[in-house]
Structures are given as structure tokens and as C-alpha cells.
Amino acid sequence: MNKPEFVYVSYISTTPQKLWSALTEGELTRQYWGGEQSSDWKAGSRWEHRRNGAERRVAMIGDVIESDPPKRLVLSWADPKDRDRKAGYSRVSFEIERVGEQVRLTVTHEGLEPEMLRNVSGGWPLVLSNLKSFLETGTSFEVRDCRPEA
Amino acid sequence: MRKSKFVYVTYIRTTPEKLWDALTQPEFTQVYWFGARLESEWKTGSAWKMVFPDGKVTDSGEILEADRPKRLVIRWRNEWKPELKAEGDSRCTMEIEPTADAVKLTVLHEIDQPESKLIGAVSGGWPKILASLKSLLETGQALERIATEVEATVLERAVRVEVMVNAPVEAVWNAWSTSEGVQTFLAQKANIQLKLRGPYEIYFNPADERMTTQGCKLLSYAPREMISFEWILPGDLFPQLRKTPTWIVVQMRASGACRTAVTITQLGWGEGPDWDRAYDHMEKGWQMAAGMLQQRFDRGPIDWVAQHMMWKERRAQAAEPTQPAKKVSP
């Protein structure tokens, strides 16, 4: 049986390149995602999300499955505590398409265990709303904790 | 009974009151909701409708709950597309909750049936509408109207067929813009003059006037890019609709030296069951024509004798009332 998936579509007034950068550069993700996404973003490489704050705790990890800038990025996704538990890994795809003067971002998070699905269903809208505000207004709103478990 | 549901959550930097007003004032909704005015008194029991600039009411219903600026629940029925209208009432709940700096908007749109086409249709629309609303409230500017992506339920209905053809764009242009060219793929006889308001007449059956587009004119063109012409519906199948010309826009774009991407669009559709039947017929017809265009460049000009036999069969099927398929015992 297929595990459930979560899909979120948003339309952002920006360019595919700027959106790709916003998703992959730690300096930028720090400003709206509550932490740094870091990796060299090549297929096969590892990636991790390190929270803002003194501790700089690693909150999420995974591998880069596909990387086709600035159109498509596919990551495996897990909580660090599930690093060695295969079933704990889910999969996130970012699809970036130009639609007229805007860009459509489709985030598909699949292979989720039920509790993770609940968490990401709350987390993604917050992060992606913040991403849109960040790209369109240059600032983002305070996100106390945008870890999926928030 | 299983429901169909669509849920969308977004956070917008605004106040609950401003968000409520943006959702309920027609002057606002016009800007971000593809030009639609949402009209209502916005009190429990008030009527509600969605009206487009041409006066078309695409959706209607009633306000089930209105608690400004926290909660709005609308009974929502589509009035525009028959198969969506047939599904009946859906329910749309909008909840507005303040958080630290932003307002959380949750839209839940549901209906008491599984695999609802209505919910399928609005699932594409909501992210666009809400993204445009968010941009409007945060930046003062809504998103550009995403015309090419909007479902037929919201914008003008169009048949649209896309096909890739193995020929350079000059050859494809010739096929669409000259009598000889059209006669190699679309119909046995054509009368085309490449000038504005010149004839663009297709004779599917030269012996039967009803199966021609006699009297139709060329509307516009840009060489090797676009050609547009009138199109009257087949008189044997849709006699009542024949007086109202629809129109076709053919666009072509080179995809490399030897391939061309072609898009055929038909517009000018009216409303009602006859028009719906005509729409389905022409959609199939243009898909077939697209295949014939491909065939013409892959295998050579069409053999009209064989093609006429095939068309005769198709008409026999289209003219009959639909018969339920006879069940064959396993």
C-alpha cells in the first residue's frame, strides 16, 4: 500500500533561479526557514538542516536524489534520530516552473509515516508562506519553530 | 459516504480584518480572483454568487456561517460546467487565525462524494487565488492573471489540441495556409485565400453542404506563426448551432530544424447541452485532425477514399443516441 503524501502548490513572483537559490543557500534559508539548508546539492551528496540559534542543532538530514537546477530538486528526508532506519526516510520533490510572470513551486512530500504526515502538513505551509513573503517583500515573519514537529 | 476534500493553509502578513475584507469585498476579489466579484450580504442565510465581468455567474450558493473576522462557511455550487453542476452543493470553510506576525488562513473545500470533479477543479484554482491574494495584501500587487492555466470552469471554454509534427515550420505553415496544403491532411477540398476576410472554407464532403465550412473567412495570420479562421459546426449533427461561427487559432513553433509544435484552439462556445455535445465532437475531431497532420508528414498526403469511409462510421456513431454497451458474459 502506498504511504500517504502531502502536496503543496504555491505561486511566487520571482524567477526560477532566485527560487532555487532561496531553497538551497544557507544564507537565504536562514532568513525564512528557521535554519540553514546545507549541501553541495549534487546527486548522491548528503544534505542537512541546521537550526538557527546558539546550538545550531541538526534538525533534518537526507541525501540528494536528483538535482536539475533551477527546475527540480529531489531529496530523501529524515529526522537525525532515524539516520539508520530506512523506513524513517521520506522523499521531497521541489518542482519549479515558470508560469507567465510568476513561478509555480510544487512541493511533494511522499512516503510519510502517519505522524510525520501530520507534522509536515503543518510545517510546509508555514515554511513555504514564509519563503513567498521573503522573495516578494525581502523580509519574512517570525517563525518560532518551523521544524515539522511544531 | 466518502468525501472529497481539498485543504490549503497559508500565512499572510496582514490583519484578520483586512483578510476578511479582501475575501468578501467585490472590489478586492476582482483584483486577485481572476476578475470575479464575490457578491453577498455575508450574513448567515444570505445568497452568494461569483460573477465574471461578462455577467456570467459561474458559482452560487448561500452563506452558512459568517463570523467576521474568524470564520466563513459557504454552500457552493458550480453553475457553469454541467458535470460539476450535477455534483450539487459543496461546502467551503475559511478560517482566519492570528499568529505572531501573520494571519493563518485555512481553506477547506469539501463535498459528500468520492473523486469529485468539482473538488478536482477547485484544487487547481485555490493555490493560484490564495497566492495572488497573499501577494496583493503583502506587496500591494496581485499576481499576473495566470490565463493559460485556469480551468475551463473559470475562464472561457476552449478546445485545445497540441501536437508535434516532423516537418519544418515552413511546410506546416504551407499546410494550413493554402488550399493545396489543407487538401493534403484536413479535407479533400479546400478554398483558402491568404488575406484578411478571404475565404477559409473546408469541404469535408463536397457533395453535402452541411459537411463543409462554406462561407467561413480567414480572421488573422502571422506567417509561419499563427493563422486564425472562422468555423461553423457540422450541419448534419448540429443544425441549430450552425448559424453561430466559432473560430480556430492555429499556432506553430519550430522545435529544431525539422520539427514543429502545433497548437489548435477552438473558441466561441455557447452554453447548453447542444454546445456541450458540439464541444466533445470537435475536441475528438481536432485530435483526429492533429493525427492526420502528423501522418501527412510521416507517410505522405492523406488518401481521401479511405478517410471518408472512416468518417462515415464516426458520424453514424455520433448521430445515434448513446446505447448502453451490451454486456458480454465472461
Side-chain angles (χ1 to χ4, degrees), chain B residues 15-16 18 21 32 51 59 88 90 174 181 189-191 197 211-212 255 290 292 302 316 329:
Chain B
T15 66
K18 284 194 180 135
D21 290 345
Y32 66 86
V51 191
D59 299 82
S90 66
N174 201 63
K189 180 167 181 288
N191 175 27
R197 314 238 25 100
M211 301 204 272
T212 74
S255 179
M292 285 157 68
I302 304 289
S329 317

Side-chain angles (χ1 to χ4, degrees), chain B residues 16-27:
Chain B
E17 291 76 14
K18 284 194 180 135
L19 179 52
W20 179 276
D21 290 345
L23 288 167
T24 57
Q25 286 175 6
E27 300 71 38

Side-chain angles (χ1 to χ4, degrees), chain A residues 8-9 101 132-133 136 139, chain B residues 8-9 13 134-135 138:
Chain A
Y8 196 87
V9 176
E101 292 297 308
K132 179 177 158 80
S133 297
E136 292 188 2
T139 58
Chain B
Y8 197 85
V9 174
R13 202 149 29 136
K134 178 175 159 82
S135 295
E138 292 188 3

Side-chain angles (χ1 to χ4, degrees), chain B residues 42-199:
Chain B
W42 305 105
K43 298 184 171 43
T44 304
S46 303
W48 170 89
K49 64 182 178 182
M50 193 184 301
V51 191
F52 278 81
D54 62 358
K56 194 150 58 202
V57 174
T58 55
D59 299 82
S60 72
E62 183 192 341
I63 305 298
L64 296 173
E65 283 176 52
D67 179 14
R68 180 179 192 272
K70 296 191 293 197
R71 188 174 156 86
L72 181 62
V73 184
I74 305 175
R75 177 171 64 75
W76 181 313
R77 174 194 219 109
N78 184 271
E79 299 289 352
W80 175 228
K81 244 201 158 187
E83 74 244 24
L84 303 188
K85 184 170 175 166
E87 289 188 4
D89 291 331
S90 66
R91 186 183 164 101
C92 178
T93 304
M94 296 189 237
E95 279 181 330
I96 298 176
E97 300 163 58
T99 71
D101 271 89
V103 171
K104 178 180 180 186
L105 169 64
T106 305
V107 175
L108 165 62
H109 203 150
E110 53 189 337
I111 197 169
D112 279 334
Q113 19 192 309
E115 290 167 37
S116 156
K117 294 196 175 86
L118 173 61
I119 299 304
V122 304
S123 303
W126 278 119
K128 289 171 194 138
I129 292 163
L130 297 174
S132 196
L133 169 59
K134 178 175 159 82
S135 295
L136 178 62
L137 288 171
E138 292 188 3
T139 72
Q141 192 150 5
L143 295 180
E144 176 207 77
R145 183 164 171 167
I146 308 167
T148 53
E149 295 290 323
V150 178
E151 296 80 2
T153 46
V154 177
L155 264 196
E156 192 160 7
R157 217 168 25 157
V159 168
R160 189 182 162 94
V161 173
E162 295 178 22
V163 65
M164 191 65 82
V165 169
N166 294 323
V169 71
E170 292 77 12
V172 178
W173 170 251
N174 201 63
W176 283 100
S177 63
T178 63
S179 304
E180 306 73 36
V182 167
Q183 283 164 188
T184 63
F185 82 94
L186 187 59
Q188 190 168 20
K189 180 167 181 288
N191 175 27
I192 292 167
Q193 283 181 42
L194 190 64
K195 59 174 191 177
L196 291 199
R197 314 238 25 100

